[in-house]
Amino acid sequence: MSITWLTPAVLAGLALIALPIAIHLLVRQQTRSLPYPSLRFLRETALAAFRRRAIQDAVLLVCRVAVIAAAVTALAGPVLHTASRTAGYANRLSQATIAVDSSAALPSAEDVFRSATFNRTAIADAIGDALRWLDAQPPSSRAVVFSGAFRRGSISESDLAVVPEDVGIRFAPDTPAAAANQFTASSLTRRNGLLVRVDHVVGVDTDSTRVGDGVVVAVPQDRIRVVAAPADQGLAEAALRAAIDEGVPWTTSDRRVLIVWEGADTAAIPSQGAELVAMPVPNPPASAARATWNAIDRATPRTFVDPVLIPREQLQSWARPPGRPSPTAIPADEGDRRWLWAAALALLGLEHFLRRERAVAHSTGAASAEARVA
Amino acid sequence: MSRPHVVTSSELQSLRDLELMTRATVEGLRHGLHRSPFHGYSAEFSQYRHYRPGDDLKYVDWKAFARTDRVYTRQFRETTNLSALLVIDVSRSMDFPQQSAMSNEQSGRSKFTLATTIAAILGTLVLDQGDAAGVLATADRAHFVPPRSGHHHLRVLLSELSRLAPSGTSAIDSALRHAATLMKRRGLVIAVSDFYEDEAAITQIRRLRRMGHDVVAIQVLSKEELSLEVGGAAEFIDLETGRKLLVQPSSARESYARDFGAWLANVEREIRRDGIDYLRVITGEPLEPALRRFLIGRRSAAS
């Protein structure tokens, strides 16, 4: 069994123990040594009374010291690590839930020991926050739960690589699994002067969009354009192409989006009714597809069809159970200090009782002495 | 003649006019002031006895012969010199009150100092009257000055007394037992002690008395011992055993004085029972009047 302290600096307060000791030393009845020819006529009753008082003083001192010690150690927050308690650490779970999509319905966290939710625009930032929060939790099993629809591109294996081995990973998709590979896309079109809604059942592979009924649902390039300087025009076009190739979901309406570099003077750009969306210059260029995707994702209104999702099998392959609690985890208050507070209160009561007994004995002795004199 | 500072000259001078007379018969080697068990031909008539051939005719009481028609020879009590042995208790219990412990309450001398002073005074008196005086003290080793007379012996006696120091736990009874073996002839034994080992000491005193010695027991006590005159709680340390007791004198004083008084009375009664002289001397009280009363009392008894 070991013991750790939540606020070990408070233990410096144990120096206060010196206070009652010093007071006892200062106010104790001073006795001197007196060589005497013979002790045969000195009465034992006087001796017994003296010793009784000395013992009483010692008990009183011990009580006062113990009260201070118990109070200080209670304030320091002791945490006892017993074998059973250490085993119990593995049975409780600290869970950090990350909302991958803003529309994600967060999973219930009723059975977990500690839980928190993190929602950041960038998934990497959310994971970083979650890991920092988990590191600050008391000893327990730890897991990161990703919640959302898990559209393709919303999370990748490289994002999960930063999660330590002893932190479990779980995915809580908020859409049926079947929709990941097959969904219905609706579109409005004019036929013979009428506005007609056409539903397409679309099947999706992991790496390409497959037309279910012969109608290709893809982003028409003329609906999204990137405004860039001539020097960056090639990069912008490549980024847009890569994003579309990855299957960015798109509405079948006539909506147009104009992507501009962040920091560009948007007032000077003739949008011609298109929505302007800012996008950071991709750096490195390999991240251009993701940046473009995110930029399109931020465009409004979101009248998208069901997105292309990451397959459930892929999510399951990334998932793993929580590991053993970290031995370096910061201990939590397990309530051990309440016993010390109880002990301090009990000792305080005992000290009060002893002090009163002593005062009563003293007054009785004085009264008898006065009676003798009288 | 300069003397070691065991006794002040004023104390000696005040008692010079007194003699330490022995009430018992002592056996001396020379003529002296004291009665001898041997019948000789000195001035003091003792008794008649029937004439035996060879008796000196000048001691025949012719008047008695005329009256009774029997021949008697006059006998005279031979007077002899006194051989006194001063037996001093040098146990640690005599080293009280100690100057360091009692400086605030008592500036007088300790029991031991008083005992050696008494021994010096009595020894000087004995030597001054032509008798022999010696000293015996049994501490870790025996200090013994055999009884001798003469003023030259006074310096030896006082020097030995000044060398004595309270040490050890050797009780007065062992010194008295030793004295019984050293005193070949009947003489005067003066035991100076606090007599805390009362039973053993009294046994030895009676033994000396039965051996024919004139025994004087001088009990030396301190004023503080009589009534536990100690202020405030103190850790009392037995001077001989080192045993410690924490005592509040104010609460123990009453019973202490009662018990101590009863013990003192018992010691005095037991000593006096066999006709042994007893003198109690208290530190802080004038010594000269007490000794004077005692010596006058002995002279009256001896005459």
Side-chain angles (χ1 to χ4, degrees), chain A residues 122-136:
Chain A
I123 188 71
D125 294 341
I127 291 174
D129 290 348
L131 292 179
R132 277 190 291 277
W133 179 81
L134 285 174
D135 283 343

Side-chain angles (χ1 to χ4, degrees), chain A residues 68-118:
Chain A
I68 291 178
V72 169
T73 49
L75 284 172
V79 180
L80 293 172
H81 298 288
T82 60
S84 60
R85 181 173 283 177
T86 306
Y89 291 158
N91 295 330
R92 63 189 189 187
L93 178 68
S94 293
Q95 177 178 291
T97 303
I98 297 174
V100 178
D101 302 316
S102 58
S103 60
L106 295 176
S108 169
E110 289 178 357
D111 297 333
V112 298
F113 171 56
R114 298 276 176 91
S115 67
T117 302
F118 300 90

Side-chain angles (χ1 to χ4, degrees), chain A residues 32 34-36 40 43 47, chain B residues 196 235 237 239 245 255-256:
Chain A
R32 60 194 172 126
L34 179 65
Y36 208 71
R40 63 194 281 188
R43 294 190 61 159
L47 174 66
Chain B
Y196 273 118
E235 186 182 47
I237 304 171
L239 277 166
L245 276 182
S255 61
Y256 176 90

Side-chain angles (χ1 to χ4, degrees), chain A residues 29-44 46-48 50-51 54 372, chain B residues 96 98 105 196 224-225 228 230-231 233-237 239 243 245-246 248 255-256 260 263:
Chain A
Q29 194 173 15
Q30 296 293 326
T31 56
R32 60 194 172 126
S33 295
L34 179 65
Y36 208 71
S38 176
L39 306 182
R40 63 194 281 188
F41 303 109
L42 291 172
R43 294 190 61 159
E44 291 296 325
L47 174 66
F50 205 95
R51 275 193 179 152
R372 277 203 304 274
Chain B
F96 183 84
Q98 292 178 336
E105 299 165 20
Y196 273 118
E224 293 79 9
E225 280 176 288
L228 197 64
V230 178
E235 186 182 47
F236 286 68
I237 304 171
L239 277 166
R243 194 163 70 94
L245 276 182
L246 284 168
Q248 181 65 263
S255 61
Y256 176 90
F260 196 83
W263 172 75

Side-chain angles (χ1 to χ4, degrees), chain A residues 105-189:
Chain A
L106 295 176
S108 169
E110 289 178 357
D111 297 333
V112 298
F113 171 56
R114 298 276 176 91
S115 67
T117 302
F118 300 90
N119 192 353
R120 298 280 293 267
T121 304
I123 188 71
D125 294 341
I127 291 174
D129 290 348
L131 292 179
R132 277 190 291 277
W133 179 81
L134 285 174
D135 283 343
Q137 296 313 303
S140 58
S141 298
R142 298 180 296 168
V144 179
V145 176
F146 294 94
S147 172
F150 296 107
R151 292 193 308 268
R152 185 174 299 280
S154 60
I155 189 169
S156 66
E157 194 164 5
S158 61
D159 294 326
L160 301 175
V162 297
V163 180
E165 286 295 322
D166 60 344
V167 177
I169 297 174
R170 192 161 68 85
F171 295 93
D174 57 358
T175 54
N181 293 326
Q182 192 173 356
F183 62 91
T184 301
S186 300
S187 63
L188 296 174
T189 183

Side-chain angles (χ1 to χ4, degrees), chain B residues 84-87 132-136 144-148 153 157:
Chain B
L85 184 62
L86 298 154
V87 182
V135 171
L136 174 63
F144 178 54
V145 175
R148 288 200 179 92
H153 187 59
L157 189 79

